[in-house]
Amino acid sequence: MKIAVIGQSLFGQEVYCRLREEGHEVVGVFTVPDKDGKADPLGLQAEQDGVPVFKFPRWRAKGRALPDVVAQYQALGAELNVLPFCSQFIPMEVISAPRHGSIIYHPSLLPRHRGASAINWTLIHGDKKGGFTIFWADDGLDTGDLLLQKECEVLPDDTVSSLYNRFLFPEGVKGMVQAVKLIAEGKAPRLPQPEEGATYEGIQRKETARIDWDQPAEAIHNWIRGNDKVPGAWTEACGQKLTFFNSTLSTAGLEPEGEDLPIPGAHRPGVITKAGLILFGNDSRMLLVKNIQLEDGKMIPAAHFFGRAESSALELTEEELGTAEAVRGAWKRILPSVPEVDESTDFFKSGAASVDVVRLVEEVKELCDGLELENEDVYMATTFGDFIQLLVRRLRGGDKETECAIDYVEKAVNKLTLRMPHQLFIGGTFVDAEGGKTYETINPTDGSALCQVSLAQVSDVDKAVAAAKDAFENGLWGKISARDRGRLLYRLAELMEQHQEELATIEALDAGAVYTLALKTHVGMSIQTFRYFAGWCDKIQGSTIPINQARPNRNLTMTRREPIGVCGIIIPWNYPLMMLSWKTAACLAAGNTVVIKPAQVTPLTALKFAELTLKAGIPKGVVNILPGSGSLVGQRLSDHPDVGKIGFTGSTEVGKHIMKSCALSNVKKVSLELGGKSPLLIFADCDLGKAVQMGMSSVFFNKGENCIAAGRLFVEDSIHDQHRVVEEVGKMKIGNPLDRDTNHGPQNHLAHLQKLLEYCQRGVEEGATLVCGGKQVPRPGFFFEPTVFTDVQDHMFIAREESFGPVMIISRFADGDVDAVLARANATEFGLASGVFTRDINKALYVSDKLEAGTVFVNTYNKTDVAAPFGGFKQSGFGKDLGEAALNEYLRVKTVTFEY
C-alpha cells in the first residue's frame, strides 16, 4: 500500500522502518524543519533511504491550507496517511485525501485523556490501566473512530518516561504496523468513540504544574510523577521555585529525621533526609522525592538541598555589599523597634505600614542613583534578604518586566492607523490558540474579512482559568490594597480615554456601530464605568451585628465582603466593549480575576482592551480574553470547577443552559441579563413631539441591536398616527458607520440580517400591516431598512418575540383603558425594561408601579447611567449590572463571630 508518513521523532522513525519492512511503499515523509542544523530522526532516515522528504514549516496560513503544500502532497498519490507522532496541524484537505483516510497514534485509552498531554494525565489521575489508541483522524480533537487499542498496567512509581519506554513506544510501534495491516486486508474496524468516560485535559506547562498540597500523599505523588520530566511539578520554598523529580511512595523504613523544609500550604514541613526529601499529604502519609531542580536550573540530589540551595542566590560584589549596608541602614531607620536587621527580617511583620513602603521606595531612590522601584516590589520581597536580591537584580538591569510582544493587524482607516491584537490573551501574553486554530472576523459594512482571529479551544480555557486562579491566589492582585487596585482601574480608564477614537473605530469596523454613537456610548460609557467602579474599590465594607451574648462572656459578630475568585464573563455582540466594561469593571473592583469570552463575531475591541490592561499595569493573569464559540469556550467556563461565578448577557435560551451547567458543575454563582420584549406605553396626554422622537430612539437606537429596545409600542387610539413615524424614518441616513452624518449602520452580522428578514416575513404572513421597510438595503454589507409594523395583534409572533433589530411594532389601545393596556404589556415572559409617556404624574406613578420590568423609563427612554442598577425580571434574568448593586454579584459575604 502507498503510504505517506507524517510526523517526527524516534517513534516516527521506527514506525516508518517497520512499515517498509512489511513491504509497504512509503511514497513520502513529511516532518518538521531542521532545528539548529539538526534533522529530525524520521526525516534523516527517509533521506538515507532515498524517500522524498518534505519539511514544511506549516501546512496552512490564516486558517486555510497552503495550496502549494497540498499540491506537493497530492502529487505523491498516497492511499493512506500514517501519523505516528505529529506536532503540526494537518489540514483536512490532507487528512481526507487518501482512499483509506488517515490514522493517528494517541498514548491513552480514548476517549479518556484526549489532548496533548495524555501520558501526563494518565499518571496524574492515578489510572491503574494505561495504553494507547490508534484511531481514524477526523476534524475533532482526538475524537475519530477507534481502530485499535492496547492496554497495560501502570506501575506505582511509573513516570512519563518509564511508561513510554516500557510499553507505549515498543508496543505502539507494533500497533501502528498492525493497524496498517488490518487496513490493507480490509479488516480495519471503525468504532465510534463513546462519550461516556470521555475526558479532555489541557497540555501540561510549567505554569500549570504547581503542586496543590491540600490532598493525600498519593495524589501529590501522582502529580509529581505525572509531570516528570516535563514540565516538572514545582512549589515555592526557601524563597525560590523548586521542581521535584523521582518521586516514590515506597517509604518503608524511612524516618522523617533531618532538617525541616518549610513549604507554604503544605500539611507539614518537608524533611531533608539522607534518602532525599520526605513530603507529607493532608492524610499525613509520606512520599519521597529524590531529586530537586533549583530555580537557576541546577539539578541536585534532594538530600543535598541545604548544602547547595544558596547557589541560586546572587553573589554580591564589594560595591553591591556597600549598597546593601546602606539599604540596611534605611530599614533600621524605618523599623526603630527592631534591634537588628538580618536576612530574615520581614518588613511588615516588623511593624511597617503602607506609608513606610513609600518611604522605603524614596530612600532607595536616593541611595541608588534614582532607581525606580514600585510599591508592589516591597510587597513581593518582604524580607531584607529577598529585598536586597531584588534590588541588586534591578541595579544589574535584570528582573524588569519585558514588554509584551504583540502581533498587530494594522489598518489605516478613519484618519488613524489601527493596531489591533488578534490572538488570545492568557496570563498577560498574546498567544495562538491550541493547534493554531483561527477564524475570520467580518466587517458588516461590506462583508469583507477584517483579519484572522485566534479561535480558543477547551485547552485554552483551562490555561486561562489556571492563569486567573494563580493571579488571584498567589499574585500581586490579592496583595495590593483596595485603594491601589482602584488606582490601577483609574489608570485603565485614562488609557481607554486616550485610545477612544481607536476603540470607536474598531467598534465601527467589527460591529457596524455608528462611529459617533460608538464614541459616546460604546466607548464613552465604558470609560465612565471603569471610573465609577474604580471609586468603589476602597468602599467595599462589611458590618458589625449585635447578637445574643454568651453570658458571662461577650460576642462580636462582623461580616466581610470578599471577592469570589476566578469569574467567567460571557458578553454579546451588540455592545462589545460596553458589555465587557459593565461586568468586568465591577468584577475587578471587587478584587476578582476574570476570563472573558467576547462574542465570536466581535472580538477586536476586547483584545485591544487586553492590551490596555497591560499598559495600565494590571498584573498578569488578572484579565484573560478568549475569542471563540459559545459551545466550546462558554460551555467550558460554565462547567469549570475553578470558576466561581459566571456573568452572562445574551439570549434566554442560552442563559437557561448556562444556569443549568453552573448548577451541575460546582453550584457556581451566576447572573443573567437575557432577552427582552420591552413595552412602551404612549398615552394621549403626553408631549407628543417628544414621544415620537423618544419612540424612534427606543426602537432604532444602535440599529435596534439593543437589549432594552422597545419591542412593542402601545399607542392610545386618539393619537395613533403612523404617518409621523414614517416621516421620521424617512429622515434617517443609512450608510457607512464611519461617515459622520450616518445614523443607521449595518446589522452586526449576516446571520442576524437573515433572521430579521424572516421575522418581518412572519409578521406579514400573520396579517400585520408593513408600513415601511422590511427588506435588505440593496448595497454591499448587512444593511436592513428601518421597519414599521402597525395593526399588530397580541397573538402574533412579532408581538411576542424580540426582533433585536430596527423593527417598530405598534399596537393600539382604547382611550382611557389603563389597566387593560397594562395587562397586555405585562403578558410577556420577559421583563427587562419598559416605558411610559404621560403628563399625568399619578398615572406615571401608577403605571411604573404595575409594569413588571427591571427598569421603567418615564417620559424618556434608553437613559442608563453607570450609577443606576440595570437588570431584568422574569425570563429576562436576574442580577444587576452597574451601580453599587453590581458589586454584590462579584462578592461573597463571610460572617465572623468572636467571643471575649
Side-chain angles (χ1 to χ4, degrees):
M1 189 159 50
K2 293 183 177 181
I3 294 174
V5 177
I6 305 174
Q8 64 207 74
S9 78
L10 289 170
F11 183 79
Q13 177 193 27
E14 191 67 20
V15 170
Y16 158 85
C17 291
R18 290 291 301 277
L19 289 174
R20 295 189 78 220
E21 290 173 7
E22 292 292 315
H24 298 290
E25 179 186 357
V26 177
V27 296
V29 165
F30 298 82
T31 189
V32 293
D34 297 354
K35 185 175 182 181
D36 299 327
K38 186 178 180 180
D40 181 86
L42 169 60
L44 187 62
Q45 182 67 55
E47 286 174 343
Q48 292 173 357
D49 294 336
V51 174
V53 175
F54 303 85
K55 301 178 180 181
F56 302 132
R58 58 181 179 174
W59 291 72
R60 64 177 194 163
K62 298 182 178 179
R64 296 181 179 178
L66 295 171
D68 59 328
V69 171
V70 174
Q72 291 182 67
Y73 163 82
Q74 290 175 336
L76 298 175
E79 297 173 295
L80 173 70
N81 292 331
V82 174
L83 286 76
F85 171 71
C86 183
S87 63
Q88 294 179 308
F89 185 87
I90 311 302
M92 288 305 296
E93 290 87 340
V94 172
I95 292 293
S96 304
R99 179 162 61 96
H100 294 296
S102 302
I103 60 171
I104 303 179
Y105 170 91
H106 186 78
S108 79
L109 297 172
L110 292 174
R112 188 161 173 81
H113 306 310
R114 292 169 177 164
S117 297
I119 311 175
N120 302 77
W121 289 105
T122 297
L123 298 172
I124 289 169
H125 284 282
D127 292 359
K128 303 304 180 185
K129 295 289 184 181
F132 64 86
T133 302
I134 298 166
F135 67 98
W136 299 93
D138 64 4
D139 60 355
L141 188 62
D142 304 333
T143 57
D145 292 344
L146 306 178
L147 192 160
L148 181 150
Q149 287 186 317
K150 291 188 178 181
E151 70 176 33
C152 69
E153 181 182 4
V154 179
L155 303 179
D157 289 338
D158 262 330
T159 64
V160 174
S161 297
S162 66
L163 182 57
Y164 183 75
N165 294 330
R166 187 182 81 250
F167 182 85
L168 297 175
F169 184 104
E171 294 302 317
V173 171
K174 296 176 186 177
M176 289 297 281
V177 175
Q178 181 184 351
V180 173
K181 182 180 180 181
L182 289 171
I183 294 169
E185 294 173 348
K187 299 178 181 178
R190 288 179 177 266
L191 306 174
Q193 283 195 40
E195 282 306 306
E196 183 178 359
T199 63
Y200 176 87
E201 296 95 356
I203 188 169
Q204 275 299 87
R205 301 188 189 279
K206 192 69 174 181
E207 61 267 25
T208 61
R210 185 168 188 162
I211 299 169
D212 175 9
W213 294 105
D214 190 20
Q215 51 186 332
E218 184 176 359
I220 296 172
H221 164 66
N222 287 337
W223 183 260
I224 294 172
R225 70 184 181 127
N227 287 283
D228 183 348
K229 297 289 188 184
V230 177
W234 61 276
T235 190
E236 290 184 346
C238 294
Q240 64 174 311
K241 184 182 290 185
L242 303 179
T243 306
F244 297 152
F245 298 100
N246 202 351
S247 169
T248 179
L249 290 172
S250 300
T251 58
L254 285 179
E255 293 295 331
E257 296 176 354
E259 190 168 355
D260 282 0
L261 175 66
I263 301 175
H267 182 63
R268 54 182 282 191
V271 181
I272 297 293
T273 70
K274 292 181 180 180
L277 170 61
I278 293 178
L279 300 170
F280 299 88
N282 62 9
D283 56 356
S284 296
R285 287 187 60 200
M286 298 190 302
L287 63 143
L288 178 70
V289 168
K290 298 179 182 179
N291 297 100
I292 298 176
Q293 186 178 44
L294 305 178
E295 193 165 13
D296 61 7
K298 293 180 181 177
M299 184 80 77
I300 62 170
H304 298 169
F305 176 75
F306 283 117
R308 295 284 301 275
E310 68 274 10
S311 63
S312 64
L314 295 177
E315 290 189 13
L316 275 57
T317 65
E318 287 295 323
E319 182 179 354
E320 289 166 344
L321 287 170
T323 300
E325 287 306 308
V327 173
R328 192 190 306 271
W331 277 54
K332 289 179 179 179
R333 290 190 294 275
I334 296 171
L335 306 171
S337 62
V338 177
E340 186 62 38
V341 174
D342 58 27
E343 300 296 295
S344 63
T345 301
D346 189 287
F347 193 65
F348 295 102
K349 290 180 180 178
S350 299
S354 57
V355 66
D356 300 313
V357 173
V358 177
R359 179 180 170 185
L360 179 59
V361 169
E362 290 303 313
E363 289 221 22
V364 167
K365 187 175 181 180
E366 288 186 8
L367 291 170
C368 300
D369 298 322
L371 177 68
E372 293 280 357
L373 293 182
E374 297 287 341
N375 292 358
E376 290 81 1
D377 293 324
V378 184
Y379 290 107
M380 295 298 283
T382 60
T383 66
F384 181 76
D386 290 345
F387 185 77
I388 291 300
Q389 289 285 311
L390 179 147
L391 182 62
V392 170
R393 285 190 169 93
R394 293 291 173 86
L395 288 169
R396 293 181 182 183
D399 269 17
K400 294 180 180 177
E401 287 290 324
T402 55
E403 186 175 347
C404 179
I406 303 176
D407 180 22
Y408 292 106
V409 172
E410 294 193 359
K411 287 188 179 294
V413 63
N414 200 27
K415 299 181 180 179
L416 298 168
T417 298
L418 302 181
R419 305 182 75 217
M420 300 180 290
H422 61 99
Q423 297 167 289
L424 312 183
F425 185 67
I426 300 175
T429 305
F430 286 97
V431 296
D432 290 334
E434 184 73 27
K437 293 194 174 183
T438 63
Y439 70 99
E440 289 182 337
T441 186
I442 303 299
N443 183 348
T445 300
D446 57 14
S448 65
L450 283 168
C451 64
Q452 291 285 331
V453 176
S454 293
L455 181 67
Q457 304 300 300
V458 170
S459 58
D460 297 310
V461 180
D462 294 339
K463 296 172 195 172
V465 171
K469 183 180 181 183
D470 185 61
F472 180 77
E473 294 180 350
N474 307 307
L476 179 62
W477 191 243
K479 296 181 173 69
I480 62 176
S481 70
R483 195 157 296 163
D484 285 340
R485 188 165 68 241
R487 178 176 54 82
L488 291 174
L489 294 185
Y490 275 123
R491 187 186 300 171
L492 177 58
E494 291 167 5
L495 284 166
M496 292 170 71
E497 188 167 53
Q498 292 170 19
H499 289 261
Q500 61 183 332
E501 289 84 3
E502 186 176 13
L503 290 166
T505 303
I506 296 173
E507 290 279 79
L509 292 178
D510 202 25
V514 172
Y515 175 73
T516 51
L517 176 65
L519 270 178
K520 179 180 183 298
T521 302
H522 291 238
V523 179
M525 195 171 187
S526 299
I527 296 166
Q528 293 176 28
T529 303
F530 272 98
R531 284 199 173 123
Y532 174 81
F533 282 107
W536 268 110
C537 288
D538 60 356
K539 302 171 187 67
I540 298 172
Q541 304 166 353
S543 58
T544 57
I545 303 170
I547 66 170
N548 288 337
Q549 307 290 349
R551 297 175 183 174
N553 293 341
R554 300 176 65 83
N555 293 103
L556 170 65
T557 294
M558 66 179 186
T559 60
R560 293 170 52 90
R561 298 170 73 196
E562 300 178 341
I564 294 169
V566 180
C567 298
I569 289 177
I570 305 170
I571 56 176
W573 44 259
N574 58 327
Y575 294 104
L577 183 63
M578 191 174 79
M579 292 293 98
L580 178 152
S581 300
W582 281 20
K583 297 184 188 300
T584 304
C587 177
L588 296 181
N592 301 285
T593 58
V594 66
V595 179
I596 302 168
K597 193 205 88 66
Q600 187 171 348
V601 292
T602 53
L604 295 182
T605 44
L607 295 172
K608 189 67 182 179
F609 169 82
E611 178 192 348
L612 298 181
T613 66
L614 285 178
K615 292 183 176 181
I618 291 179
K620 294 178 179 180
V622 172
V623 175
N624 305 271
I625 297 181
L626 302 177
S629 71
S631 59
L632 280 182
V633 179
Q635 184 65 56
R636 180 57 179 156
L637 282 173
S638 301
D639 291 338
H640 204 294
D642 291 332
V643 175
K645 159 69 196 280
I646 292 289
F648 171 74
T649 295
S651 71
T652 297
E653 179 185 7
V654 174
K656 290 179 178 179
H657 183 79
I658 286 174
M659 189 175 176
K660 181 178 179 181
S661 297
C662 290
L664 293 176
S665 55
N666 57 343
V667 198
K668 58 174 62 71
K669 192 172 183 178
V670 62
S671 56
L672 304 171
E673 194 255 279
L674 308 177
K677 186 67 176 176
S678 302
L680 176 57
L681 282 56
I682 303 177
F683 289 94
D685 59 1
C686 70
D687 179 338
L688 189 57
K690 183 178 182 181
V692 170
Q693 291 299 322
M694 287 289 180
M696 290 284 295
S697 175
S698 74
V699 174
F700 300 121
F701 189 82
N702 198 46
K703 313 160 295 178
E705 295 168 354
N706 187 21
C707 52
I708 58 172
R712 192 176 181 193
L713 277 64
F714 292 91
V715 182
E716 203 160 6
D717 268 335
S718 58
I719 58 168
H720 183 275
D721 180 7
Q722 66 193 41
H723 300 294
R724 290 193 62 172
V725 172
V726 172
E727 180 182 343
E728 292 299 322
V729 168
K731 298 176 184 178
M732 295 175 67
K733 169 67 184 304
I734 301 173
N736 189 323
L738 291 173
D739 292 345
R740 300 308 191 260
D741 58 346
T742 294
N743 51 30
H744 188 82
Q747 304 308 134
N748 187 278
H749 53 280
L750 180 60
H752 183 51
L753 172 65
Q754 293 169 340
K755 286 182 179 179
L756 289 175
L757 292 168
E758 295 168 3
Y759 183 91
C760 291
Q761 182 62 34
R762 181 85 173 262
V764 172
E765 290 172 354
E766 290 190 345
T769 301
L770 178 62
V771 177
C772 64
K775 300 188 296 294
Q776 183 175 356
V777 179
R779 58 175 290 167
F782 311 142
F783 291 86
F784 186 76
E785 296 176 345
T787 300
V788 178
F789 277 101
T790 60
D791 304 319
V792 178
Q793 304 303 311
D794 293 354
H795 69 277
M796 294 179 178
F797 175 82
I798 63 173
R800 294 179 286 106
E801 297 296 329
E802 181 181 27
S803 71
F804 212 67
V807 182
M808 181 177 284
I809 308 295
I810 302 177
S811 298
R812 298 170 179 255
F813 68 93
D815 288 345
D817 202 345
V818 176
D819 289 326
V821 73
L822 277 170
R824 295 171 67 193
N826 287 329
T828 172
E829 63 188 13
F830 303 111
L832 188 56
S834 59
V836 54
F837 278 85
T838 176
R839 285 193 175 99
D840 185 337
I841 186 63
N842 293 317
K843 186 187 296 181
L845 289 170
Y846 178 78
V847 171
S848 63
D849 181 51
K850 296 296 183 181
L851 283 169
E852 298 170 359
T855 296
V856 181
F857 298 109
V858 179
N859 295 327
T860 188
Y861 209 87
N862 286 326
K863 183 61 178 175
T864 55
D865 187 88
V866 295
F870 178 91
F873 296 167
K874 300 190 285 189
Q875 294 195 46
S876 288
F878 52 84
K880 297 295 181 182
D881 290 327
L882 305 180
E884 181 183 3
L887 291 169
N888 296 327
E889 306 299 332
Y890 299 95
L891 293 166
R892 58 188 183 187
V893 177
K894 177 185 289 182
T895 301
V896 183
T897 298
F898 297 86
E899 189 165 312
Y900 59 96

